[in-house]
Amino acid sequence: MSAPIKSLIEQVLSELRKVGGISASAAVTRDGLLIASDVRGDVDAETFAAMTATMTGAAETAMQEVQAGSIHRVIVEGESAKIIATGAGPKALLVVLAEPDAPLGLALLKIDDAGQKIAKLLE
């Protein structure tokens, strides 16, 4: 991937941080390789990428097994954070780390928009 495209993806990710409650985000290949990230602090971006891709792949397999169609997003709620993963085109995912009390309504709209932007950049 070219440096300008990575830079544009990083801009999309940094815009997500402006949404209340979102603390980190990453664009990830569907097999777990980090494309770009906006991750600070003690979060290891490479591990975050790999584990969220694995989690999403498992959810996709489970949905296929019960013949429930394709997934739109995966949301995992923990004690101190939420992880939200959604598709960003056929080759990538957008994964977000949010605070546990973050309101999901606006966040999901902005995450979906960001996923579509990333998908277009990766075409």
Side-chain angles (χ1 to χ4, degrees):
M1 170 186 3
S2 69
I5 292 175
K6 182 177 179 181
S7 177
L8 290 171
I9 292 171
E10 288 170 345
Q11 287 176 3
V12 171
L13 297 176
S14 70
E15 286 294 313
L16 275 177
R17 192 177 289 272
K18 295 176 183 175
V19 176
I22 293 178
S23 57
S25 61
V28 178
T29 65
R30 289 194 177 260
D31 58 352
L33 299 175
L34 184 64
I35 297 170
S37 67
D38 181 30
V39 176
R40 298 184 192 140
D42 59 351
V43 176
D44 181 289
E46 298 284 339
T47 302
F48 183 58
M51 293 299 102
T52 53
T54 300
M55 172 187 73
T56 305
E60 288 172 335
T61 301
M63 291 296 276
Q64 289 172 355
E65 185 63 28
V66 297
Q67 300 174 352
S70 59
I71 65 170
H72 298 289
R73 70 181 62 89
V74 175
I75 301 173
V76 178
E77 295 185 34
E79 290 178 15
S80 61
K82 293 177 187 175
I83 296 174
I84 303 162
T86 189
K91 298 178 186 175
L93 301 169
L94 169 60
V95 292
V96 172
L97 184 64
E99 296 170 6
D101 58 347
L104 287 182
L106 178 61
L108 292 177
L109 288 173
K110 296 295 185 179
I111 290 167
D112 288 346
D113 286 347
Q116 290 174 11
K117 289 177 185 175
I118 292 168
K120 287 181 183 178
L121 289 167
L122 293 174
E123 286 180 345

